[in-house]
Short mmCIF file of all heavy atoms in Angstrom, two decimals:
data_model
loop_
_atom_site.label_atom_id
_atom_site.label_comp_id
_atom_site.label_asym_id
_atom_site.label_seq_id
_atom_site.Cartn_x
_atom_site.Cartn_y
_atom_site.Cartn_z
N MET A 638 140.75 103.01 78.94
CA MET A 638 139.35 103.10 79.32
C MET A 638 138.72 101.71 79.23
O MET A 638 138.88 101.02 78.24
CB MET A 638 138.65 104.09 78.39
CG MET A 638 137.18 104.25 78.73
SD MET A 638 136.35 105.47 77.69
CE MET A 638 136.86 106.94 78.54
N SER A 639 137.99 101.32 80.26
CA SER A 639 137.37 100.00 80.26
C SER A 639 136.06 100.03 79.49
O SER A 639 135.44 101.06 79.29
CB SER A 639 137.12 99.55 81.71
OG SER A 639 136.16 100.39 82.31
N GLU A 640 135.65 98.86 79.06
CA GLU A 640 134.43 98.72 78.29
C GLU A 640 133.21 98.81 79.20
O GLU A 640 133.20 98.26 80.30
CB GLU A 640 134.43 97.38 77.56
CG GLU A 640 133.23 97.17 76.69
CD GLU A 640 133.32 95.89 75.88
OE1 GLU A 640 134.35 95.71 75.20
OE2 GLU A 640 132.38 95.09 75.95
N VAL A 641 132.18 99.51 78.74
CA VAL A 641 130.91 99.60 79.45
C VAL A 641 129.85 98.93 78.58
O VAL A 641 129.78 99.17 77.38
CB VAL A 641 130.53 101.07 79.73
CG1 VAL A 641 129.14 101.17 80.32
CG2 VAL A 641 131.55 101.73 80.65
N THR A 642 129.01 98.11 79.20
CA THR A 642 127.93 97.45 78.49
C THR A 642 126.60 97.94 79.04
O THR A 642 126.40 97.94 80.26
CB THR A 642 128.02 95.91 78.65
OG1 THR A 642 129.28 95.48 78.18
CG2 THR A 642 126.91 95.21 77.89
N VAL A 643 125.70 98.34 78.15
CA VAL A 643 124.36 98.78 78.52
C VAL A 643 123.38 97.79 77.90
O VAL A 643 123.38 97.58 76.69
CB VAL A 643 124.07 100.21 78.02
CG1 VAL A 643 122.65 100.63 78.36
CG2 VAL A 643 125.10 101.19 78.59
N THR A 644 122.55 97.18 78.75
CA THR A 644 121.60 96.17 78.29
C THR A 644 120.19 96.60 78.64
O THR A 644 119.90 96.88 79.81
CB THR A 644 121.89 94.81 78.95
OG1 THR A 644 123.24 94.45 78.70
CG2 THR A 644 120.97 93.72 78.42
N LEU A 645 119.31 96.66 77.64
CA LEU A 645 117.90 96.97 77.87
C LEU A 645 117.17 95.65 78.09
O LEU A 645 117.02 94.85 77.17
CB LEU A 645 117.30 97.70 76.67
CG LEU A 645 117.97 99.00 76.29
CD1 LEU A 645 117.39 99.55 75.00
CD2 LEU A 645 117.81 100.02 77.41
N ARG A 646 116.74 95.40 79.32
CA ARG A 646 116.05 94.15 79.63
C ARG A 646 114.60 94.25 79.19
O ARG A 646 113.93 95.25 79.46
CB ARG A 646 116.07 93.89 81.14
CG ARG A 646 117.44 93.68 81.76
CD ARG A 646 117.96 92.27 81.62
NE ARG A 646 117.03 91.23 81.95
CZ ARG A 646 116.94 90.62 83.11
NH1 ARG A 646 117.73 90.93 84.10
NH2 ARG A 646 116.05 89.67 83.30
N ASP A 647 114.10 93.24 78.49
CA ASP A 647 112.70 93.21 78.12
C ASP A 647 111.84 93.34 79.38
O ASP A 647 112.06 92.62 80.36
CB ASP A 647 112.34 91.90 77.41
CG ASP A 647 112.90 91.83 76.00
OD1 ASP A 647 113.38 92.86 75.48
OD2 ASP A 647 112.84 90.73 75.41
N ASN A 648 110.91 94.29 79.36
CA ASN A 648 109.97 94.49 80.46
C ASN A 648 110.65 94.75 81.80
O ASN A 648 110.09 94.44 82.85
CB ASN A 648 109.02 93.30 80.57
CG ASN A 648 108.40 92.94 79.25
OD1 ASN A 648 107.99 93.82 78.49
ND2 ASN A 648 108.36 91.67 78.94
N GLY A 649 111.85 95.31 81.76
CA GLY A 649 112.59 95.55 82.99
C GLY A 649 113.55 96.71 82.89
O GLY A 649 113.39 97.59 82.04
N PRO A 650 114.57 96.73 83.73
CA PRO A 650 115.47 97.87 83.84
C PRO A 650 116.54 97.92 82.75
O PRO A 650 116.67 97.03 81.92
CB PRO A 650 116.13 97.64 85.20
CG PRO A 650 116.19 96.15 85.32
CD PRO A 650 114.91 95.67 84.69
N ILE A 651 117.30 99.00 82.80
CA ILE A 651 118.51 99.15 81.99
C ILE A 651 119.67 98.69 82.87
O ILE A 651 119.87 99.24 83.96
CB ILE A 651 118.72 100.62 81.57
CG1 ILE A 651 117.56 101.08 80.70
CG2 ILE A 651 120.06 100.78 80.86
CD1 ILE A 651 117.57 102.58 80.42
N LEU A 652 120.39 97.68 82.43
CA LEU A 652 121.55 97.18 83.18
C LEU A 652 122.81 97.84 82.61
O LEU A 652 122.99 97.86 81.39
CB LEU A 652 121.65 95.67 83.06
CG LEU A 652 120.45 94.86 83.53
CD1 LEU A 652 120.71 93.38 83.31
CD2 LEU A 652 120.12 95.15 84.98
N ILE A 653 123.65 98.35 83.49
CA ILE A 653 124.91 98.96 83.07
C ILE A 653 126.04 98.27 83.82
O ILE A 653 126.02 98.19 85.04
CB ILE A 653 124.93 100.47 83.35
CG1 ILE A 653 123.73 101.14 82.67
CG2 ILE A 653 126.24 101.09 82.87
CD1 ILE A 653 123.58 102.61 82.97
N ASN A 654 127.00 97.76 83.06
CA ASN A 654 128.15 97.05 83.62
C ASN A 654 129.43 97.70 83.15
O ASN A 654 129.61 97.91 81.95
CB ASN A 654 128.14 95.58 83.17
CG ASN A 654 126.88 94.87 83.59
OD1 ASN A 654 126.62 94.73 84.77
ND2 ASN A 654 126.10 94.46 82.63
N GLY A 655 130.32 98.02 84.07
CA GLY A 655 131.60 98.61 83.73
C GLY A 655 131.95 99.75 84.66
O GLY A 655 131.26 100.02 85.64
N ASP A 656 133.02 100.43 84.35
CA ASP A 656 133.49 101.56 85.15
C ASP A 656 132.72 102.79 84.70
O ASP A 656 133.04 103.41 83.68
CB ASP A 656 134.99 101.74 84.94
CG ASP A 656 135.57 102.79 85.85
OD1 ASP A 656 134.95 103.11 86.89
OD2 ASP A 656 136.64 103.33 85.53
N ILE A 657 131.66 103.15 85.45
CA ILE A 657 130.77 104.22 85.02
C ILE A 657 130.72 105.36 86.03
O ILE A 657 131.05 105.20 87.20
CB ILE A 657 129.34 103.70 84.80
CG1 ILE A 657 128.78 103.10 86.09
CG2 ILE A 657 129.29 102.71 83.67
CD1 ILE A 657 127.33 102.72 86.02
N LYS A 658 130.27 106.50 85.53
CA LYS A 658 129.98 107.65 86.37
C LYS A 658 128.55 108.03 86.05
O LYS A 658 128.19 108.23 84.89
CB LYS A 658 130.92 108.81 86.05
CG LYS A 658 130.66 110.05 86.86
CD LYS A 658 131.66 111.15 86.51
CE LYS A 658 131.40 112.40 87.34
NZ LYS A 658 132.36 113.47 86.98
N LEU A 659 127.70 108.13 87.07
CA LEU A 659 126.30 108.48 86.90
C LEU A 659 126.10 109.89 87.44
O LEU A 659 126.49 110.20 88.56
CB LEU A 659 125.42 107.48 87.67
CG LEU A 659 123.92 107.60 87.50
CD1 LEU A 659 123.51 107.41 86.04
CD2 LEU A 659 123.21 106.58 88.38
N VAL A 660 125.49 110.75 86.62
CA VAL A 660 125.33 112.16 86.95
C VAL A 660 123.84 112.52 86.89
O VAL A 660 123.14 112.12 85.96
CB VAL A 660 126.13 113.04 85.96
CG1 VAL A 660 125.97 114.51 86.27
CG2 VAL A 660 127.60 112.65 85.98
N ASP A 661 123.36 113.30 87.88
CA ASP A 661 121.95 113.71 87.88
C ASP A 661 121.72 114.90 86.95
O ASP A 661 122.65 115.41 86.32
CB ASP A 661 121.45 113.98 89.30
CG ASP A 661 122.05 115.22 89.95
OD1 ASP A 661 122.65 116.07 89.25
OD2 ASP A 661 121.91 115.36 91.19
N GLY A 662 120.47 115.36 86.86
CA GLY A 662 120.10 116.44 85.97
C GLY A 662 120.77 117.77 86.26
O GLY A 662 120.85 118.64 85.39
N ALA A 663 121.26 117.94 87.47
CA ALA A 663 121.95 119.18 87.85
C ALA A 663 123.46 119.07 87.67
O ALA A 663 124.20 119.99 88.00
CB ALA A 663 121.62 119.54 89.30
N GLY A 664 123.93 117.92 87.18
CA GLY A 664 125.36 117.73 86.96
C GLY A 664 126.11 117.17 88.16
O GLY A 664 127.34 117.11 88.14
N ASN A 665 125.39 116.77 89.20
CA ASN A 665 126.02 116.21 90.40
C ASN A 665 126.23 114.71 90.23
O ASN A 665 125.32 113.99 89.83
CB ASN A 665 125.13 116.45 91.63
CG ASN A 665 124.86 117.91 91.84
OD1 ASN A 665 125.77 118.72 91.92
ND2 ASN A 665 123.59 118.27 91.92
N ALA A 666 127.42 114.24 90.59
CA ALA A 666 127.71 112.81 90.52
C ALA A 666 126.92 112.08 91.60
O ALA A 666 126.81 112.53 92.73
CB ALA A 666 129.20 112.56 90.71
N ILE A 667 126.33 110.94 91.22
CA ILE A 667 125.61 110.08 92.17
C ILE A 667 126.60 109.04 92.67
O ILE A 667 127.26 108.37 91.88
CB ILE A 667 124.40 109.41 91.48
CG1 ILE A 667 123.40 110.48 91.05
CG2 ILE A 667 123.76 108.38 92.40
CD1 ILE A 667 122.24 109.94 90.24
N ASP A 668 126.72 108.94 93.99
CA ASP A 668 127.68 108.01 94.60
C ASP A 668 127.23 106.58 94.37
O ASP A 668 126.19 106.14 94.88
CB ASP A 668 127.80 108.30 96.09
CG ASP A 668 128.85 107.43 96.78
OD1 ASP A 668 129.60 106.71 96.08
OD2 ASP A 668 128.92 107.49 98.02
N LEU A 669 127.99 105.84 93.59
CA LEU A 669 127.69 104.44 93.31
C LEU A 669 128.39 103.50 94.28
O LEU A 669 128.30 102.29 94.14
CB LEU A 669 128.08 104.10 91.87
CG LEU A 669 127.34 104.88 90.79
CD1 LEU A 669 127.87 104.51 89.41
CD2 LEU A 669 125.85 104.64 90.88
N GLN A 670 129.13 104.05 95.24
CA GLN A 670 129.81 103.28 96.27
C GLN A 670 130.69 102.18 95.67
O GLN A 670 130.72 101.06 96.16
CB GLN A 670 128.80 102.70 97.26
CG GLN A 670 127.98 103.78 97.94
CD GLN A 670 126.87 103.22 98.80
OE1 GLN A 670 126.44 102.09 98.65
NE2 GLN A 670 126.39 104.04 99.70
N GLY A 671 131.35 102.50 94.56
CA GLY A 671 132.27 101.56 93.94
C GLY A 671 131.62 100.49 93.08
O GLY A 671 132.32 99.63 92.54
N LYS A 672 130.30 100.53 92.95
CA LYS A 672 129.61 99.50 92.15
C LYS A 672 129.96 99.65 90.68
O LYS A 672 130.05 100.76 90.15
CB LYS A 672 128.10 99.61 92.33
CG LYS A 672 127.64 99.31 93.72
CD LYS A 672 126.14 99.49 93.84
CE LYS A 672 125.72 99.26 95.28
NZ LYS A 672 124.33 99.65 95.49
N THR A 673 130.12 98.53 90.01
CA THR A 673 130.37 98.54 88.57
C THR A 673 129.21 97.88 87.81
O THR A 673 129.27 97.75 86.60
CB THR A 673 131.69 97.81 88.23
OG1 THR A 673 131.63 96.48 88.75
CG2 THR A 673 132.88 98.55 88.81
N ASN A 674 128.17 97.46 88.54
CA ASN A 674 126.96 96.89 87.95
C ASN A 674 125.77 97.57 88.60
O ASN A 674 125.59 97.48 89.82
CB ASN A 674 126.87 95.38 88.21
CG ASN A 674 128.02 94.63 87.61
OD1 ASN A 674 128.27 94.75 86.42
ND2 ASN A 674 128.71 93.85 88.41
N ILE A 675 124.96 98.26 87.78
CA ILE A 675 123.76 98.90 88.31
C ILE A 675 122.58 98.63 87.39
O ILE A 675 122.75 98.30 86.22
CB ILE A 675 123.94 100.42 88.51
CG1 ILE A 675 124.20 101.14 87.19
CG2 ILE A 675 125.03 100.72 89.53
CD1 ILE A 675 124.17 102.66 87.29
N ALA A 676 121.37 98.77 87.93
CA ALA A 676 120.14 98.64 87.16
C ALA A 676 119.36 99.94 87.31
O ALA A 676 119.04 100.35 88.44
CB ALA A 676 119.31 97.46 87.67
N LEU A 677 119.07 100.59 86.19
CA LEU A 677 118.32 101.84 86.20
C LEU A 677 116.87 101.58 85.83
O LEU A 677 116.57 100.83 84.90
CB LEU A 677 118.93 102.84 85.21
CG LEU A 677 120.36 103.28 85.51
CD1 LEU A 677 120.85 104.24 84.44
CD2 LEU A 677 120.45 103.94 86.88
N CYS A 678 115.97 102.23 86.55
CA CYS A 678 114.53 102.06 86.36
C CYS A 678 114.08 102.65 85.02
O CYS A 678 114.52 103.71 84.62
CB CYS A 678 113.80 102.77 87.49
SG CYS A 678 112.00 102.75 87.33
N ARG A 679 113.19 101.93 84.34
CA ARG A 679 112.54 102.44 83.12
C ARG A 679 111.05 102.63 83.32
O ARG A 679 110.41 103.33 82.54
CB ARG A 679 112.73 101.46 81.95
CG ARG A 679 114.11 101.42 81.41
CD ARG A 679 114.13 100.86 80.00
NE ARG A 679 113.70 99.47 79.91
CZ ARG A 679 113.38 98.88 78.76
NH1 ARG A 679 113.42 99.54 77.63
NH2 ARG A 679 113.03 97.61 78.74
N CYS A 680 110.46 102.04 84.35
CA CYS A 680 109.01 102.06 84.51
C CYS A 680 108.50 103.28 85.28
O CYS A 680 107.31 103.54 85.31
CB CYS A 680 108.54 100.79 85.21
SG CYS A 680 108.91 100.72 86.98
N SER A 681 109.38 104.01 85.93
CA SER A 681 109.06 105.19 86.74
C SER A 681 108.30 104.87 88.03
O SER A 681 107.75 105.76 88.66
CB SER A 681 108.26 106.22 85.93
OG SER A 681 109.01 106.65 84.82
N ALA A 682 108.26 103.62 88.43
CA ALA A 682 107.55 103.23 89.65
C ALA A 682 108.51 102.96 90.82
O ALA A 682 108.05 102.76 91.94
CB ALA A 682 106.69 101.99 89.40
N SER A 683 109.81 102.98 90.58
CA SER A 683 110.79 102.65 91.61
C SER A 683 110.74 103.65 92.77
O SER A 683 110.65 104.86 92.57
CB SER A 683 112.20 102.65 91.03
OG SER A 683 113.15 102.42 92.05
N LYS A 684 110.81 103.13 93.97
CA LYS A 684 110.89 103.98 95.17
C LYS A 684 112.33 104.38 95.44
O LYS A 684 112.60 105.14 96.36
CB LYS A 684 110.34 103.23 96.39
CG LYS A 684 108.95 102.64 96.21
CD LYS A 684 107.88 103.65 96.46
CE LYS A 684 106.49 103.05 96.47
NZ LYS A 684 105.98 102.61 95.18
N ASN A 685 113.27 103.87 94.63
CA ASN A 685 114.69 104.12 94.80
C ASN A 685 115.28 104.73 93.51
O ASN A 685 116.38 104.41 93.12
CB ASN A 685 115.41 102.81 95.15
CG ASN A 685 116.83 103.02 95.59
OD1 ASN A 685 117.17 104.06 96.14
ND2 ASN A 685 117.68 102.04 95.35
N SER A 686 114.49 105.57 92.85
CA SER A 686 114.90 106.17 91.59
C SER A 686 116.23 106.90 91.72
O SER A 686 116.49 107.50 92.76
CB SER A 686 113.81 107.17 91.15
OG SER A 686 114.13 107.73 89.90
N PRO A 687 117.12 106.79 90.77
CA PRO A 687 116.96 106.26 89.42
C PRO A 687 117.21 104.76 89.32
O PRO A 687 117.21 104.21 88.23
CB PRO A 687 118.01 107.03 88.62
CG PRO A 687 119.15 107.16 89.58
CD PRO A 687 118.45 107.40 90.92
N PHE A 688 117.40 104.10 90.44
CA PHE A 688 117.73 102.68 90.44
C PHE A 688 116.47 101.81 90.46
O PHE A 688 115.45 102.19 91.03
CB PHE A 688 118.63 102.34 91.63
CG PHE A 688 119.87 103.17 91.67
CD1 PHE A 688 119.99 104.23 92.54
CD2 PHE A 688 120.92 102.91 90.80
CE1 PHE A 688 121.13 105.02 92.56
CE2 PHE A 688 122.07 103.69 90.80
CZ PHE A 688 122.17 104.75 91.69
N CYS A 689 116.56 100.65 89.86
CA CYS A 689 115.46 99.70 89.81
C CYS A 689 115.31 99.03 91.17
O CYS A 689 116.29 98.64 91.80
CB CYS A 689 115.74 98.65 88.74
SG CYS A 689 114.49 97.35 88.65
N ASP A 690 114.06 98.90 91.61
CA ASP A 690 113.78 98.15 92.85
C ASP A 690 112.82 96.99 92.62
O ASP A 690 112.27 96.42 93.55
CB ASP A 690 113.25 99.08 93.94
CG ASP A 690 111.86 99.65 93.65
OD1 ASP A 690 111.29 99.34 92.57
OD2 ASP A 690 111.35 100.41 94.49
N GLY A 691 112.59 96.66 91.33
CA GLY A 691 111.71 95.55 90.99
C GLY A 691 110.25 95.95 90.83
O GLY A 691 109.40 95.10 90.56
N SER A 692 109.93 97.23 90.97
CA SER A 692 108.55 97.70 90.87
C SER A 692 107.92 97.44 89.50
O SER A 692 106.69 97.40 89.38
CB SER A 692 108.45 99.19 91.19
OG SER A 692 108.77 99.43 92.53
N HIS A 693 108.75 97.24 88.48
CA HIS A 693 108.23 96.99 87.13
C HIS A 693 107.36 95.73 87.09
O HIS A 693 106.46 95.62 86.27
CB HIS A 693 109.36 96.90 86.10
CG HIS A 693 110.39 95.85 86.40
ND1 HIS A 693 111.46 96.11 87.25
CD2 HIS A 693 110.50 94.58 85.99
CE1 HIS A 693 112.19 95.00 87.33
NE2 HIS A 693 111.63 94.06 86.58
N LYS A 694 107.61 94.81 88.00
CA LYS A 694 106.81 93.58 88.04
C LYS A 694 105.39 93.87 88.51
O LYS A 694 104.43 93.38 87.92
CB LYS A 694 107.48 92.55 88.94
CG LYS A 694 108.84 92.10 88.44
CD LYS A 694 109.56 91.26 89.46
CE LYS A 694 111.00 91.02 89.02
NZ LYS A 694 111.81 90.46 90.09
N ALA A 695 105.27 94.68 89.57
CA ALA A 695 103.95 94.98 90.13
C ALA A 695 103.12 95.87 89.22
O ALA A 695 101.89 95.72 89.15
CB ALA A 695 104.10 95.65 91.51
N CYS A 696 103.77 96.80 88.51
CA CYS A 696 103.02 97.70 87.64
C CYS A 696 102.86 97.15 86.23
O CYS A 696 102.31 97.80 85.35
CB CYS A 696 103.65 99.10 87.61
SG CYS A 696 105.18 99.25 86.67
N GLU A 697 103.36 95.92 86.03
CA GLU A 697 103.27 95.22 84.74
C GLU A 697 103.84 96.03 83.58
O GLU A 697 103.27 96.10 82.49
CB GLU A 697 101.82 94.80 84.48
CG GLU A 697 101.31 93.84 85.53
CD GLU A 697 99.88 93.38 85.30
OE1 GLU A 697 99.34 93.64 84.22
OE2 GLU A 697 99.33 92.74 86.21
N PHE A 698 105.01 96.64 83.82
CA PHE A 698 105.70 97.41 82.80
C PHE A 698 106.03 96.53 81.59
O PHE A 698 106.50 95.42 81.74
CB PHE A 698 107.00 97.99 83.38
CG PHE A 698 107.85 98.74 82.41
CD1 PHE A 698 107.48 99.98 81.94
CD2 PHE A 698 109.03 98.19 81.93
CE1 PHE A 698 108.26 100.68 81.04
CE2 PHE A 698 109.83 98.87 81.04
CZ PHE A 698 109.45 100.12 80.58
N LYS A 699 105.76 97.04 80.41
CA LYS A 699 106.02 96.29 79.18
C LYS A 699 106.85 97.17 78.24
O LYS A 699 106.47 98.29 77.92
CB LYS A 699 104.73 95.89 78.47
CG LYS A 699 103.82 95.01 79.30
CD LYS A 699 104.41 93.65 79.48
CE LYS A 699 103.47 92.76 80.29
NZ LYS A 699 104.15 91.77 81.06
N ALA A 700 107.98 96.67 77.80
CA ALA A 700 108.81 97.34 76.80
C ALA A 700 109.82 96.35 76.27
O ALA A 700 110.49 95.66 77.02
CB ALA A 700 109.54 98.53 77.40
N GLU A 701 109.88 96.28 74.96
CA GLU A 701 110.90 95.48 74.29
C GLU A 701 111.62 96.40 73.31
O GLU A 701 110.97 97.08 72.53
CB GLU A 701 110.29 94.30 73.54
CG GLU A 701 109.72 93.25 74.47
CD GLU A 701 109.18 92.04 73.71
OE1 GLU A 701 109.29 91.99 72.47
OE2 GLU A 701 108.64 91.14 74.38
N ASN A 702 112.92 96.45 73.39
CA ASN A 702 113.71 97.27 72.49
C ASN A 702 114.61 96.37 71.66
O ASN A 702 115.29 95.51 72.18
CB ASN A 702 114.57 98.27 73.27
CG ASN A 702 113.73 99.22 74.07
OD1 ASN A 702 113.47 99.00 75.25
ND2 ASN A 702 113.27 100.28 73.44
N ARG A 703 114.60 96.59 70.38
CA ARG A 703 115.45 95.83 69.47
C ARG A 703 116.22 96.80 68.59
O ARG A 703 115.71 97.85 68.21
CB ARG A 703 114.61 94.90 68.57
CG ARG A 703 113.80 93.87 69.34
CD ARG A 703 114.73 92.85 70.02
NE ARG A 703 114.01 91.79 70.68
CZ ARG A 703 113.76 91.76 71.99
NH1 ARG A 703 114.14 92.75 72.76
NH2 ARG A 703 113.12 90.76 72.53
N ALA A 704 117.44 96.43 68.25
CA ALA A 704 118.27 97.27 67.40
C ALA A 704 117.73 97.24 65.99
O ALA A 704 117.10 96.32 65.55
CB ALA A 704 119.70 96.79 67.43
#
């Protein structure tokens, strides 16, 4: 199994790198078209949900997560 890295970007998306499978709330796999790097929206403003489209900049989304 390959390593997956999840990074919470300050004031931005969740970055996921690695061999991943993304599943929606109904249990259906979302076609990632072979991508191994994706950005998931945290601000809820993306027009391409669940993926980030940069809308966090316009809505001035603020979030910092620390371990």
Side-chain angles (χ1 to χ4, degrees):
M638 180 177 279
S639 66
E640 182 175 308
V641 174
T642 303
V643 178
T644 305
L645 301 174
R646 297 277 313 264
D647 287 349
N648 310 318
I651 298 170
L652 303 179
I653 304 175
N654 301 297
D656 186 21
I657 60 173
K658 179 179 181 181
L659 186 60
V660 179
D661 69 15
N665 302 307
I667 296 174
D668 184 8
L669 298 177
Q670 301 173 340
K672 295 178 184 170
T673 57
N674 299 305
I675 63 171
L677 297 178
C678 176
R679 288 200 297 166
C680 73
S681 299
S683 176
K684 307 277 187 290
N685 191 29
S686 183
F688 304 102
C689 176
D690 67 359
S692 294
H693 57 275
K694 296 171 189 168
C696 74
E697 299 181 10
F698 177 73
K699 300 290 181 209
E701 291 183 3
N702 298 95
R703 299 293 184 261

